[in-house]
Amino acid sequence: MMARGGRMGYVGRRMRSRAPAASRDFGLFLDVDGTLVELQETPADVVVGESLKSLLVEVSRRLQGAVALVSGRSIETLDALFEPLEFPAAGLHGVERRSASGARRGASYCDSALAGARLALTAFVESHPGTLLEDKGRALALHFRLAPEFETGARQAVSAVVRSLASGYHVQEGKMVLEIKPYGFTKATAIEEFLEEAPFAGRTPVVVGDDLTDQAGFRLVEALGGISIAVGHRVQGQWRLDNPAAVRRWLASIAALP
Ligand SMILES: [Mg+2]
């Protein structure tokens, strides 16, 4: 699991599972679904166990609180998943953010400009069994994990809906999911904001993620001399861990620091 030698950079898609040696200097930016916990059939099926919660508390303690969750979920949903813990967090791929001091930006609300989109996508899922609409208030995610045969139809429906909206929204691709969200926010914009504040400022930023939306964060921290860790084989980082279990073992190496 630990790094052998200092070789960095891409070594192709067959690169074996390895991650950098634990350091107290890290500021961690962790994706949740597919990174800390395995993907489930639907987002509502995901449960965060007590052992993961206590692991993150230990890691956060070692890093003076410099552990943030950076997810496509809303901050409200993250808090419910990790209850009673409330981490510094970016929700909806950077649209919302809560700093380590608790300050909130881009609070959750139901965006009425998405009302028509909501209706159209609700009609789509009703006529395409197995597809699922996840309403995040300010973003809408259409999942087709349980009905991959409807991918083409889902793409057409989402494209049509986005075209019908005023500018200011775009489609974020994910694993078996298409998401309509406000334009101009990414996980990278949220991480940049964290890096200007305590306790993240001055630390080595480390981004761990498994999906396309995490790549913006990877490229940002790579440019800043930080570290990117891809989980699985969908995205490219400087390092790679095979799955969430490997991520949790790597986090345990940070928790075990003296
Ligand atoms: Mg993910």
Side-chain angles (χ1 to χ4, degrees):
M1 293 294 303
M2 288 298 141
R4 286 182 228 163
R7 194 165 71 142
M8 302 280 280
Y10 304 149
V11 252
R13 298 186 74 79
R14 290 179 181 281
M15 189 169 90
R16 69 180 185 279
S17 186
R18 59 193 201 119
S23 165
R24 279 183 176 272
D25 180 49
F26 287 165
L28 286 188
F29 299 98
L30 304 171
D31 172 50
V32 175
D33 296 87
T35 296
L36 291 177
V37 292
E38 305 286 348
L39 294 174
Q40 300 296 329
E41 288 192 333
T42 77
D45 293 331
V46 169
V47 175
V48 172
E50 292 307 315
S51 60
L52 175 56
K53 291 180 192 173
S54 26
L55 173 61
L56 291 173
V57 167
E58 281 306 307
V59 171
S60 181
R61 194 168 289 156
R62 289 301 178 286
L63 303 182
Q64 311 288 321
V67 176
L69 303 176
V70 181
S71 171
R73 292 182 186 257
S74 67
I75 291 177
E76 264 178 328
T77 312
L78 291 173
D79 286 349
L81 265 183
F82 288 88
E83 207 242 318
L85 307 173
E86 293 188 355
F87 290 96
L92 306 181
H93 312 283
V95 174
E96 310 174 330
R97 195 172 73 92
R98 177 175 60 213
S99 70
S101 67
R104 285 284 294 261
R105 153 176 85 55
S108 298
Y109 62 92
C110 188
D111 184 353
S112 58
L114 290 174
R118 215 168 251 127
L119 281 178
L121 294 178
T122 300
F124 178 86
V125 301
E126 280 169 359
S127 56
H128 296 81
T131 61
L132 172 81
L133 179 63
E134 186 188 1
D135 190 344
K136 306 181 185 181
R138 296 186 65 187
L140 299 169
L142 180 59
H143 296 260
F144 48 90
R145 173 173 305 277
L146 297 178
E149 68 274 25
F150 293 135
E151 174 171 354
T152 305
R155 285 185 185 282
Q156 287 165 353
V158 167
S159 300
V161 162
V162 166
R163 277 197 302 274
S164 75
L165 289 169
S167 63
Y169 298 87
H170 75 139
V171 179
Q172 171 69 57
E173 294 254 355
K175 282 179 183 162
M176 314 294 270
V177 58
L178 297 164
E179 182 156 352
I180 296 171
K181 64 179 262 291
Y183 193 79
F185 301 95
T186 66
K187 288 190 173 184
T189 61
I191 291 168
E192 253 181 320
E193 291 173 19
F194 279 119
L195 288 174
E196 288 171 4
E197 304 163 350
F200 297 94
R203 291 177 165 269
T204 301
V206 182
V207 177
V208 191
D210 71 309
D211 210 345
L212 301 175
T213 178
D214 299 305
Q215 291 188 130
F218 287 0
R219 302 295 93 90
L220 170 76
V221 298
E222 287 162 5
L224 296 174
I227 295 171
S228 59
I229 304 177
V231 183
H233 290 269
R234 186 173 169 85
V235 289
Q236 288 277 10
Q238 296 164 322
W239 302 81
R240 184 182 307 287
L241 291 168
D242 284 334
N243 48 43
V247 173
R248 295 191 296 264
R249 285 195 296 275
W250 177 73
L251 290 172
S253 73
I254 299 175
L257 283 169

